[in-house]
Amino acid sequence: MRINAKLLRGSLFLTGLCIILLFTCCTHNPVKKTPVDYAQKANSIVLPMDKDKYIPQRPEVQDRLFVSTAVEEKIIEITRLLQNARLRWMFQNCYPNTLDTTVRYYAPGCEGEDDTLIYTGDIHAMWLRDSGAQVWPYLHLANKDEKLKKMLRGTILRQFRCIILDPYANAFIDPYDPNPAHYWMTDNTEMKPGLHERKWEIDSHCYVIRLAYEYWKITGDTSVFGSEWNEAITLVLQTFKEQQQKEGPGPYRFQRKTERQLDTRSNNGMGNPVKPVGLIASAFRPSDDATTFQFLIPSNFFAVTSLRKASEILQQVNNNPAQAKECVELANEVEQALQKYAIHQHPEYGKIYAFEVDGFGNQLLMDDANVPSLLALPYLGDVKLNDPIYQNTRNFVWSEDNPYFFSGKAGEGIGGPHIGYDMIWPMSIMMKAFTSQDDDEIKFCIKMLMATDAGTGFMHESFHKDNPDNYTRSWFAWQNTLFGELIIKLIDEGKIDLLNSI
């Protein structure tokens, strides 16, 4: 049988074209998922009917560590608006929890200046990340309460001093405490007096800059940007550049004798190798767990926006254009590297952001509940909410394709290896609400938070997906204050009817 050559060539061409088109569709267009019916999911949550148990859980007034008239007035204002008794009770307990139980304000403290130590709650030490996040929801009230303003100022100055003491440390003890929590002095790293823990985390520095910048923008007070700021930001730049690892792994090492794999680092404390591509290596995540691939993407995004804020301060307050330029140049370099190395082409979700990369081409696809996270990128202002890659990423991380997404009888959300399988962090549910543009989705998140407090009126570090009575850390001030921040944000955005429909 004779075969027409033209027909054969045409057939082969069409077959090849179909294969190319099929490949293009599969690799560039995400599979469309069935829309989630958040209205139905919200309606399916049955809240406890225990009004007789709504006894205030705050310490007695005389036992509160710090009292702000502006915060107390805000609590009254918000609770008058909230019609749901359980939500009102939880807000009253959670929003002031940082002030009530964790603030140690010393005035005059160090060198006659405002000095504030912020404990995390049940751990009597000050994390740079946690302390910056814990007082953040009170910033908008600073101009209404001079005492509150001074406390915030003291927090910022103490954070600068912490960076000066050791730019690689993440947590510090209270120098006024006669019996400080020296738990980790035996760690194989350069421990020194004043340190609680020495885990290098990019976000520690970023949270300090974020708080100082916003304090300045709200209050106009430039007095915090003196010699300690100048020394601290110089160390931040030095540390970020060292951890780009262009000239080797840098001076930081960390090892710990532990049963927890992610509480220590491989390769004699240096971690897995990275290829210097412009990104900044972070030895640990915001969860205080060791990174797998050291270029932690959410923290690198946070570094970009933080460096640009630092540049603005240096330019407008300190009249230091040279260092301001240094910040911008580093931010631009990291941003360009993110565009090149942070994006993964997922077969179902399309282009998404990886959680960690190493510059060699390896990428870790997951998300962790702790902030900065991929889910929380717009909350921190690091990407636009409608960025299509972020939206694809958001769909990915809130799905069973994320190995640390858990769903059960009690709720659904993101956890992480810090606590382990099946433990959902309320922080992830709050971040889903913070980054949502869907009222039904927001309502679902709020109801889930209200239903998983184990009857305590507080947020916890994590709860079991099938049993909210199985939770970790009954006193974790960051999550409590964050819940208050979320409720205030929703009211400020005109969503009081949504909250009162619960």
Side-chain angles (χ1 to χ4, degrees):
M1 181 175 69
R2 297 180 64 187
I3 299 174
N4 186 301
K6 288 186 177 181
L7 288 175
L8 179 60
R9 285 196 298 271
S11 177
L12 290 172
F13 173 78
L14 289 173
T15 301
L17 181 61
C18 289
I19 291 171
I20 292 169
L21 289 172
L22 179 62
F23 178 77
T24 302
C25 290
C26 290
T27 57
H28 292 284
N29 296 323
V31 175
K32 291 186 177 179
K33 299 262 182 182
T34 303
V36 178
D37 187 349
Y38 280 110
Q40 188 278 326
K41 288 171 72 77
N43 290 335
S44 69
I45 298 175
V46 179
L47 295 174
M49 298 297 291
D50 48 5
K51 293 182 180 180
D52 57 321
K53 297 182 181 179
Y54 296 157
I55 301 169
Q57 297 300 303
R58 298 180 66 187
E60 296 296 329
V61 175
Q62 66 273 14
D63 296 325
R64 296 171 189 170
L65 295 183
F66 189 91
V67 177
S68 162
T69 55
V71 170
E72 296 302 321
E73 289 170 0
K74 192 67 175 180
I75 294 169
I76 293 171
E77 174 193 336
I78 297 299
T79 52
R80 283 175 176 168
L81 294 171
L82 295 173
Q83 295 175 6
N84 184 290
R86 185 176 186 82
L87 181 58
R88 186 166 59 241
W89 173 64
M90 291 179 69
F91 175 80
Q92 289 172 317
N93 295 332
C94 289
Y95 178 57
N97 189 243
T98 288
L99 298 184
D100 286 352
T101 65
T102 71
V103 170
R104 271 75 175 173
Y105 172 60
Y106 304 100
C110 181
E111 299 180 0
E113 281 280 16
D114 295 309
D115 197 7
T116 311
L117 276 290
I118 310 290
Y119 292 7
T120 68
D122 52 1
I123 303 174
H124 287 184
M126 177 168 165
W127 266 254
L128 290 177
R129 169 188 54 257
D130 293 45
S131 61
Q134 283 169 248
V135 300
W136 177 266
Y138 309 128
L139 277 173
H140 70 291
L141 300 173
N143 291 327
K144 297 181 178 180
D145 185 342
E146 186 63 25
K147 182 182 174 184
L148 177 66
K149 181 180 174 181
K150 289 171 72 66
M151 185 277 288
L152 294 167
R153 183 177 183 275
T155 303
I156 294 164
L157 293 174
R158 170 52 56 180
Q159 289 180 330
F160 294 161
R161 293 175 198 130
C162 289
I163 292 175
I164 292 167
L165 177 62
D166 189 341
Y168 279 104
N170 60 322
F172 301 79
I173 63 170
D174 183 347
Y176 304 97
D177 186 346
N179 187 29
H182 275 301
Y183 296 140
W184 308 119
M185 292 303 289
T186 59
D187 286 346
N188 185 11
T189 188
E190 294 181 19
M191 290 296 289
K192 63 181 74 171
L195 303 188
H196 173 77
E197 192 171 48
R198 193 172 188 261
K199 289 181 172 179
W200 160 238
E201 301 163 4
I202 293 172
D203 66 286
S204 294
H205 291 179
C206 297
Y207 270 103
V208 172
I209 296 170
R210 175 183 184 243
L211 181 67
Y213 178 86
E214 195 68 15
Y215 171 83
W216 167 50
K217 287 296 182 178
I218 289 173
T219 67
D221 180 11
T222 61
S223 67
V224 294
F225 300 121
S227 59
E228 290 176 319
W229 154 255
N230 289 324
E231 189 173 354
I233 192 60
T234 299
L235 285 169
V236 169
L237 282 164
Q238 174 186 309
T239 307
F240 280 178
K241 289 182 177 182
E242 285 175 351
Q243 288 309 312
Q244 287 183 297
Q245 301 199 10
K246 293 179 179 179
E247 299 178 4
Y252 179 75
R253 304 286 187 278
F254 184 95
Q255 287 179 297
R256 173 179 293 173
K257 292 182 179 180
T258 176
E259 295 177 349
R260 293 191 69 253
Q261 179 188 12
L262 296 185
D263 250 356
T264 190
R265 304 184 78 210
S266 62
N267 291 317
N268 297 315
M270 292 184 291
N272 288 322
V274 296
K275 183 178 181 181
V277 294
L279 295 171
I280 303 166
S282 188
F284 290 86
R285 300 167 180 164
S287 60
D288 297 336
D289 290 339
T291 50
T292 301
F293 302 133
Q294 293 191 64
F295 293 145
L296 180 58
I297 296 306
S299 292
N300 272 267
F301 270 108
F302 199 9
V304 171
T305 55
S306 300
L307 284 165
R308 287 178 176 151
K309 289 172 182 175
S311 175
E312 188 177 338
I313 296 166
L314 290 164
Q315 186 76 44
Q316 295 189 22
V317 178
N318 301 117
N319 192 25
N320 187 346
Q323 199 167 45
K325 181 182 178 184
E326 189 180 356
C327 288
V328 170
E329 288 175 346
L330 180 55
N332 291 343
E333 183 182 9
V334 175
E335 184 176 55
Q336 289 169 11
L338 284 167
Q339 293 170 357
K340 186 173 182 179
Y341 293 95
I343 298 169
H344 173 82
Q345 183 69 44
H346 195 280
E348 286 199 45
Y349 300 92
K351 289 183 177 180
I352 65 171
Y353 294 118
F355 186 62
E356 293 172 359
V357 304
D358 64 0
F360 292 106
N362 296 304
Q363 297 180 319
L364 179 60
L365 303 183
M366 59 166 279
D367 200 17
D368 190 294
N370 283 264
V371 178
S373 63
L374 293 174
L375 179 62
L377 286 172
Y379 165 77
L380 291 172
D382 298 334
V383 302
K384 299 292 185 184
L385 185 58
N386 290 319
D387 170 13
I389 300 177
Y390 168 74
Q391 286 297 324
N392 291 344
T393 307
R394 192 175 187 274
N395 291 333
F396 161 74
V397 302
W398 204 269
S399 79
E400 293 182 356
D401 292 311
N402 171 13
Y404 287 99
F405 174 82
F406 306 118
S407 179
K409 297 175 183 177
E412 63 184 43
I414 300 169
H418 192 71
I419 301 299
Y421 289 169
D422 297 334
M423 299 300 287
I424 296 167
W425 287 57
M427 187 176 296
S428 71
I429 302 170
M430 287 184 254
M431 284 302 129
K432 186 173 177 64
F434 271 113
T435 60
S436 177
Q437 301 176 86
D438 180 337
D439 283 357
D440 289 329
E441 183 181 35
I442 294 169
K443 186 175 180 179
F444 167 63
C445 292
I446 300 297
K447 289 191 71 174
M448 187 160 41
L449 292 166
M450 293 170 65
T452 55
D453 72 325
T456 65
F458 289 106
M459 298 293 104
H460 302 123
E461 180 184 51
S462 69
F463 65 88
H464 192 275
K465 67 176 187 176
D466 294 320
N467 179 15
D469 291 334
N470 178 5
Y471 61 82
T472 60
R473 295 188 71 179
S474 59
W475 179 19
F476 188 17
W478 179 10
Q479 297 232 42
N480 288 327
T481 314
L482 187 66
F483 178 76
E485 178 187 346
L486 174 60
I487 298 304
I488 291 174
K489 172 184 180 287
L490 293 174
I491 291 174
D492 287 346
E493 291 178 350
K495 296 189 184 296
I496 186 62
D497 290 343
L498 182 156
L499 293 173
N500 286 338
S501 70
I502 295 174

